[in-house]
Amino acid sequence: MINVYQPSLGKEELDRISQVFESNWIGKGKLVSEFEAKYAELLKTDSKHVLSTNCCSEGLFSSMHLCDIKPEDEVVLPTISFVGAANSICANGSKMVLCDVDPRTLNARAEDIEKVITDKTKAILLLHFGGIPCEMDEIMELANSHNIKVIEDCAAGVCSSYKGKALGTFGDMGMWSFDAMKILVCGDGAMLYFKDEEVREKAEKWLYFGLETKSGYENSVAQKWWEFDISCFGHRAIMNDVTAAMALEQFKKLPLFMEKRKVVNDFYDENLKDLSWIDLPPVLPEYVKSSYYFYHIQVKNGKRDELATYLRERGIYTTYRYFPIHRVKGYHAVGNFPNAEFATDNTLCLPIHQSLTSDDLGLIVDTIKEFGKKFC
Ligand SMILES: *Cc1c(COP(=O)(O)O)cnc(C)c1O
């Protein structure tokens, strides 16, 4: 089966992990700090604005506390969002207010958000679909004019940028995921960005029990080093040197990963462009850079499901992301979202990852064409 997403891990990661074993310290340590520093560089910021955590979902859940969002507040969420984003708002007891999206990029636009803003809106939890940047100038202007906080779910937007600035660094808080299905992978892990250094300090405590003193070892000068105090009832959500070892090696490979993903993207563009029954992903403005996390086509003749099945029967796995929150019964959400409806029923994400061979790509394109000849 050709996977839709797949990690690229090798000897380099294994060697680095061996070194961690030899060091006898597998917890949060020097490698985590090193990874944070490297990632801050990638974002063109410094370590005072970033903090790692054990997963991006933790970042979503914690954003509610860290951005001071209260149960009586409303949070705007594009209906095409990750399940954890919706859960974090609902678990906080806040009112989740869904908005529609652009039918082609599947990103929320300022006009979509503006329609659902009320005087109770405290924040917008924005998704950059598949690493495609939202129109940040317009969204930030809207958010600033209404005094609304912006939280960016940039989970798959590693290396994405908007007008030369790293995606995820526009709002009050941004986050990237390094889970098994992403581009830079380390099993589980995530990076958080905070516009405000003080919020980062608050986050550091929040993600480690609210402890005022860091650890017994660092506190060893104290007379009774087992005593401690807390500033809040915080979680325990940290990376460790095993996952950081993997992340550091993956980090070095990022430029190569991006190159390969672009090759896959361009191959599909070139070889599918003549199929009149398919819309290719929208052409992006030249001032944005995507991480090419998704390659999402739209099937124009209502045969998306048939195409997905046809491909799967021939060893090619495809999928659709993200199933819209308003159609998930458990949320009891209301509203009309015609663009999201259209996108959900017609969009298909084709395989895209660094290990796809030209044979794989040839087979995928040929099988799509074959389906077209038979049924379209
Ligand atoms: C993967 C993903 C997450 C969650 O990341 P984890 O690190 O697995 O918690 C959040 N948002 C989006 C858009 C994702 O794709």
Side-chain angles (χ1 to χ4, degrees):
M1 185 70 94
I2 298 177
N3 290 326
V4 65
Y5 313 115
Q6 189 173 305
S8 311
L9 292 158
K11 191 172 177 305
E12 299 80 7
E13 286 80 3
L14 270 180
D15 287 348
R16 194 75 179 253
I17 292 170
S18 302
Q19 290 170 26
V20 177
F21 287 8
E22 282 157 25
S23 79
N24 250 340
W25 176 249
I26 63 170
K28 184 179 182 183
K30 285 200 189 89
L31 295 191
V32 174
S33 307
E34 194 183 327
F35 180 51
E36 289 173 342
K38 287 260 160 69
Y39 208 86
E41 252 174 63
L42 178 72
L43 300 178
K44 296 185 194 146
T45 180
D46 60 62
S47 298
K48 287 186 195 131
H49 294 273
V50 304
L51 184 66
S52 60
T53 185
N54 61 335
C55 69
C56 187
S57 301
E58 174 64 42
L60 287 166
F61 280 99
S62 289
S63 70
M64 296 294 121
H65 170 74
L66 297 171
C67 293
D68 213 20
I69 295 163
K70 300 277 191 285
E72 61 272 20
D73 294 328
E74 292 182 0
V75 180
V76 175
L77 183 76
T79 184
I80 305 234
S81 279
F82 179 67
V83 55
N87 284 5
S88 62
I89 299 169
C90 298
N92 196 52
S94 305
K95 186 172 172 199
M96 174 174 76
V97 178
L98 299 176
C99 74
D100 207 356
V101 297
D102 179 284
R104 300 277 294 122
T105 63
L106 283 70
N107 273 335
R109 301 159 296 189
E111 63 196 84
D112 302 311
I113 299 164
E114 193 166 20
K115 278 184 196 147
V116 298
I117 287 178
T118 72
D119 53 10
K120 286 190 181 152
T121 308
K122 179 74 177 270
I124 151 107
L125 208 173
L126 203 59
L127 170 70
H128 300 290
F129 180 81
I132 299 176
C134 295
E135 266 304 337
M136 290 316 290
D137 280 352
E138 290 168 20
I139 290 172
M140 291 313 296
E141 194 188 316
L142 176 73
N144 291 336
S145 71
H146 287 82
N147 204 13
I148 294 169
K149 294 197 178 177
V150 175
I151 302 161
E152 293 176 74
D153 180 353
C154 201
V158 61
C159 295
S160 291
S161 63
Y162 178 88
K163 299 191 177 169
K165 187 171 156 69
L167 206 61
T169 64
F170 286 82
D172 297 87
M173 195 176 157
M175 58 201 77
W176 298 261
S177 166
F178 313 125
D179 81 20
M181 300 278 279
K182 297 305 194 294
I183 299 173
L184 186 169
V185 297
C186 67
D188 270 315
M191 197 63 75
L192 309 178
Y193 166 85
F194 302 94
K195 179 174 275 173
D196 187 339
E197 285 173 31
E198 275 173 32
V199 182
R200 186 215 171 270
E201 277 169 31
K202 184 174 160 189
E204 192 168 19
K205 288 181 182 153
W206 176 250
L207 295 175
Y208 204 71
F209 304 118
L211 283 189
E212 287 291 343
T213 40
K214 279 177 187 162
S215 71
Y217 180 74
E218 281 167 67
N219 199 24
S220 58
V221 284
Q223 286 260 308
K224 296 180 183 178
W225 54 89
W226 46 84
E227 293 186 356
F228 65 89
D229 195 11
I230 58 158
S231 57
C232 59
F233 306 126
H235 298 184
R236 184 191 179 283
I238 53 176
M239 273 183 79
N240 59 62
D241 275 10
V242 179
T243 52
M246 248 186 286
L248 277 165
E249 291 305 314
Q250 289 270 292
F251 186 87
K252 291 185 200 160
K253 299 177 180 177
L254 267 182
L256 194 69
F257 289 176
M258 288 303 134
E259 240 172 74
K260 286 201 173 172
R261 300 185 83 88
K262 172 115 175 61
V263 168
V264 174
N265 182 86
D266 293 354
F267 181 90
Y268 283 140
D269 275 354
E270 184 54 33
N271 289 278
L272 298 176
K273 69 175 191 301
D274 295 332
L275 302 185
S276 59
W277 53 282
I278 284 177
D279 271 332
L280 300 185
V283 178
L284 302 176
E286 91 296 330
Y287 54 81
V288 309
K289 227 177 90 191
S290 173
S291 59
Y292 300 111
Y293 182 58
F294 290 150
Y295 188 89
H296 69 286
I297 58 169
Q298 293 183 326
V299 183
K300 287 196 273 191
N301 56 9
K303 293 207 169 110
R304 190 271 315 262
D305 299 2
E306 285 95 322
L307 175 62
T309 308
Y310 190 86
L311 291 170
R312 201 177 64 178
E313 281 166 356
R314 284 153 187 81
I316 300 160
Y317 195 79
T318 60
T319 191
Y320 165 68
R321 295 283 165 78
Y322 297 85
F323 191 68
I325 299 301
H326 74 269
R327 279 208 214 164
V328 180
K329 286 200 197 76
Y331 293 114
H332 307 289
V334 289
N336 257 327
F337 311 95
N339 295 342
E341 292 287 343
F342 165 80
T344 301
D345 294 335
N346 299 288
T347 307
L348 193 65
C349 303
L350 300 184
I352 183 164
H353 55 78
Q354 299 83 234
S355 309
L356 285 171
T357 63
S358 45
D359 280 354
D360 293 336
L361 289 171
L363 179 70
I364 295 165
V365 162
D366 288 347
T367 312
I368 292 173
K369 285 182 177 164
E370 189 182 278
F371 176 87
K373 275 200 197 110
K374 281 190 195 162
F375 304 108
C376 303

